[in-house]
Amino acid sequence: MMGRATALIAGRGALPAHLARALAASGVPFVIAQVEGFEMENPDRLPVETFALERLALLFDLLHERGVSRVVLAGAVTRPRLDPERIDPRTALLLPRILPMLGQGDDAALRAVVALIEEEGVEVVGAGAIAPDLLPAPGVLTEAQPGAADARDAVRAAEIVAALGAADLGQGAVVAQGLCLAVETLPGTDAMLAWVADVAGACRPDPKGARGVFFKAPKPGQDRRVDLPAIGPATVEAAARAGLAGIVIEAGGVLVLDRAETVARADALGLFLWVRPPCGSS
Amino acid sequence: MMGRATALIAGRGALPAHLARALAASGVPFVIAQVEGFEMENPDRLPVETFALERLALLFDLLHERGVSRVVLAGAVTRPRLDPERIDPRTALLLPRILPMLGQGDDAALRAVVALIEEEGVEVVGAGAIAPDLLPAPGVLTEAQPGAADARDAVRAAEIVAALGAADLGQGAVVAQGLCLAVETLPGTDAMLAWVADVAGACRPDPKGARGVFFKAPKPGQDRRVDLPAIGPATVEAAARAGLAGIVIEAGGVLVLDRAETVARADALGLFLWVRPPCGSS
């Protein structure tokens, strides 16, 4: 199935450039279609097409022109706003399918877009299909290993994130000594970990007890082809500043960007990075 | 049923003194039994008995000596630690009932304590039974009224708090323009609202849009006789600093301390205080 012309529909962040490198390395012809207003990080200065959400129909034209039969969505397109005056007539016909989903959380809106692309006869695949090394197999990737208290904190955090997911909320939580120090909300992972460093960390009942874990997982029932959560070297540094013992991610559900550098930073800082199977310990 | 000798089992915070005033005003004979290490605020310098959790059996002796037939639990006793050397033999016999519950969240531990008290033939009542004015009837208590966007934010926040409750987690959340800015965790309401003021508030998508609400409710299935969440004048001031439009509490499930002063502060600051029925709008 490799070799098929691929379109990378790109939003904000570092993930699109990672996938573009993987596509280039595999020799697959590809085009990058970037969402206007949500420009990707583009350190390699790759050529990109930019399309406006108000002119989504033009994206489909681009896919057909380039003979694209496979699409991967990557990067953040959070709560876009539409300018009614810019909406072209063909896109206007699509909006009744998408607009009702916008108020129902990011997942619902993305599912609607994926469905529209698939109706064009184009397959939607996940980042893992393009760059499998972004999704590490279960195991502990670092020299530091989680202990029994860390494993208990991971179980508690997984339970909390699953409950949050039922409300289409965040994908991360910090638990130490069985207690929830923080939950990821709109400001995101970095803001949450900074708050643990500055404020919440002082609430650990036993200052000499387990330092706690940052746990990240996709929402339950999330379409794993789109919008998987991701961590990277900066996440490791933020977790270290928060005084945590390590990071736990759900295997198959969280992307690790710059894996070598992420693991090296964790080893240098003494944190563990545990890729944990969804159902329990590895 | 009034007039029965009552014991006020008191933990940290302002609630025990409020209830003591209500008991004194009603002429009911009562004793205050304070948990060692979790001393109540005692502005009226009322006489208190202090008991150690390691000697819980002595509390039951006190209840029987004073002819107590009714107990109200008030104030916070969060994650107590036990000194094994101080545990007396009779209390040791009770511990197998309580210890397994300590790791399962505050609710489970409190339910175990309530069950033990009831086995002594003593009724456990809620704060609302002692001081009904702590639990306002549904309605908007302030001059400011919630608008349609505020009502939508309240619905979303109620949904989030219900989902959190399923994981025996916090009782509060801040939602603005449909988006979750913050969720209450171990550091508590004040820390969460300070974070909204300093960090998360800047994430509101539309700076001129709805400013958002702080919503508070008991956990689903929570025993409403113990550990109801509470707000007061300081909550109003923290919500104002966070730039919120108002506070929404679940009717019958959240105590309002110093109601007159709380409403006066809200009116002075232009916030609404909405006592909302659990199932929808009032």
Side-chain angles (χ1 to χ4, degrees):
Chain A
M1 298 287 279
M2 296 301 280
R4 288 193 293 152
T6 300
L8 174 57
I9 300 183
R12 276 193 194 126
L15 180 59
H18 277 84
L19 293 183
R21 277 179 205 160
L23 286 166
S26 64
V28 173
F30 69 98
V31 57
I32 303 176
Q34 170 178 266
V35 183
E36 187 184 289
F38 298 88
E39 281 72 20
M40 61 184 270
E41 294 170 24
N42 192 356
D44 303 333
R45 298 181 175 273
L46 297 166
V48 299
E49 307 277 345
T50 300
F51 71 97
L53 288 171
E54 292 90 344
R55 292 168 185 177
L56 188 61
L58 293 179
L59 170 67
F60 298 146
D61 292 345
L62 176 72
L63 299 183
H64 294 310
E65 278 164 22
R66 303 291 181 97
V68 163
S69 64
R70 188 173 70 158
V71 154
V72 58
L73 285 79
V77 180
T78 313
R79 308 278 162 172
R81 320 197 126 238
L82 299 178
D83 177 354
E85 294 185 6
R86 292 184 70 199
I87 297 171
D88 69 56
R90 282 193 298 148
T91 300
L93 295 175
L94 303 174
L95 288 183
R97 301 272 304 277
I98 301 174
L99 288 181
M101 315 301 278
L102 283 181
Q104 297 175 33
D106 293 335
D107 279 5
L110 282 166
R111 278 197 302 273
V113 170
V114 166
L116 288 173
I117 294 173
E118 287 176 331
E119 286 174 21
E120 297 287 314
V122 176
E123 189 190 7
V124 177
V125 300
I130 304 289
D133 71 292
L134 289 173
L135 285 174
V140 177
L141 305 185
T142 46
E143 292 162 14
Q145 301 285 318
D150 301 318
R152 285 194 300 272
D153 285 344
V155 168
R156 177 73 179 125
E159 178 183 81
I160 289 166
V161 170
L164 290 167
D168 196 24
L169 252 200
Q171 305 167 318
V174 173
V175 169
Q177 302 171 26
L179 301 175
C180 183
L181 295 182
V183 155
E184 194 166 328
T185 54
L186 186 62
T189 299
D190 291 349
M192 176 187 68
L193 290 175
W195 189 63
V196 172
D198 296 342
V199 178
C203 296
R204 291 177 179 96
D206 180 359
K208 295 177 185 168
R211 290 180 290 147
V213 305
F214 167 49
F215 177 87
K216 203 165 179 77
K219 295 170 197 165
Q222 179 171 343
D223 184 339
R224 299 211 167 185
R225 294 172 300 172
V226 296
D227 196 33
L228 282 187
I231 65 166
T235 318
V236 171
E237 286 173 13
R241 281 193 296 271
L244 300 177
I247 297 173
V248 185
I249 61 174
E250 185 178 304
V254 178
L255 304 169
V256 179
L257 307 181
D258 284 322
R259 194 203 299 198
E261 175 63 16
T262 300
V263 172
R265 292 302 302 150
D267 282 338
L269 293 163
L271 273 69
F272 61 79
L273 174 52
W274 179 14
V275 184
R276 181 175 172 273
C279 49
S281 59
S282 71
Chain B
M1 297 287 278
M2 296 300 279
R4 288 193 293 153
T6 300
L8 174 56
I9 300 183
R12 276 193 194 128
L15 180 60
H18 277 83
L19 293 183
R21 277 179 205 160
L23 287 165
S26 64
V28 173
F30 68 97
V31 57
I32 302 176
Q34 170 178 266
V35 183
E36 187 184 290
F38 298 89
E39 281 72 20
M40 61 184 269
E41 294 169 25
N42 191 356
D44 303 334
R45 299 181 174 275
L46 297 165
V48 299
E49 307 277 345
T50 300
F51 71 98
L53 288 172
E54 292 91 344
R55 292 167 185 177
L56 188 62
L58 293 178
L59 171 67
F60 298 147
D61 292 344
L62 176 73
L63 299 183
H64 294 310
E65 277 164 22
R66 303 292 181 97
V68 164
S69 64
R70 189 173 69 159
V71 154
V72 57
L73 285 78
V77 179
T78 313
R79 307 278 162 170
R81 322 200 122 235
L82 299 178
D83 176 354
E85 294 186 7
R86 294 185 69 200
I87 297 171
D88 69 57
R90 283 193 298 149
T91 301
L93 295 175
L94 302 173
L95 288 183
R97 303 272 304 276
I98 301 175
L99 288 182
M101 315 301 278
L102 283 180
Q104 297 176 33
D106 293 335
D107 279 6
L110 282 166
R111 278 197 302 273
V113 170
V114 166
L116 288 173
I117 294 172
E118 286 177 330
E119 285 173 23
E120 297 287 316
V122 175
E123 189 189 7
V124 177
V125 300
I130 304 289
D133 72 294
L134 289 173
L135 285 173
V140 177
L141 305 184
T142 46
E143 292 162 12
Q145 301 285 317
D150 302 317
R152 284 194 300 271
D153 285 342
V155 168
R156 176 73 178 125
E159 178 182 82
I160 289 165
V161 170
L164 290 167
D168 195 25
L169 252 199
Q171 305 167 317
V174 173
V175 169
Q177 302 172 26
L179 301 176
C180 183
L181 296 182
V183 155
E184 194 166 329
T185 53
L186 186 63
T189 299
D190 291 349
M192 175 186 68
L193 291 174
W195 189 63
V196 172
D198 296 342
V199 178
C203 296
R204 291 176 179 96
D206 180 359
K208 295 177 183 166
R211 290 180 291 146
V213 305
F214 167 49
F215 177 87
K216 204 164 178 79
K219 295 170 198 166
Q222 178 171 344
D223 183 338
R224 299 211 167 186
R225 294 172 299 172
V226 295
D227 195 34
L228 283 187
I231 65 165
T235 318
V236 171
E237 287 173 13
R241 280 193 297 271
L244 300 177
I247 296 173
V248 185
I249 61 175
E250 185 179 305
V254 178
L255 304 169
V256 179
L257 307 181
D258 284 323
R259 193 202 300 198
E261 176 63 16
T262 300
V263 172
R265 293 302 301 149
D267 282 339
L269 294 163
L271 272 70
F272 61 77
L273 175 52
W274 180 13
V275 184
R276 182 175 172 273
C279 50
S281 58
S282 70

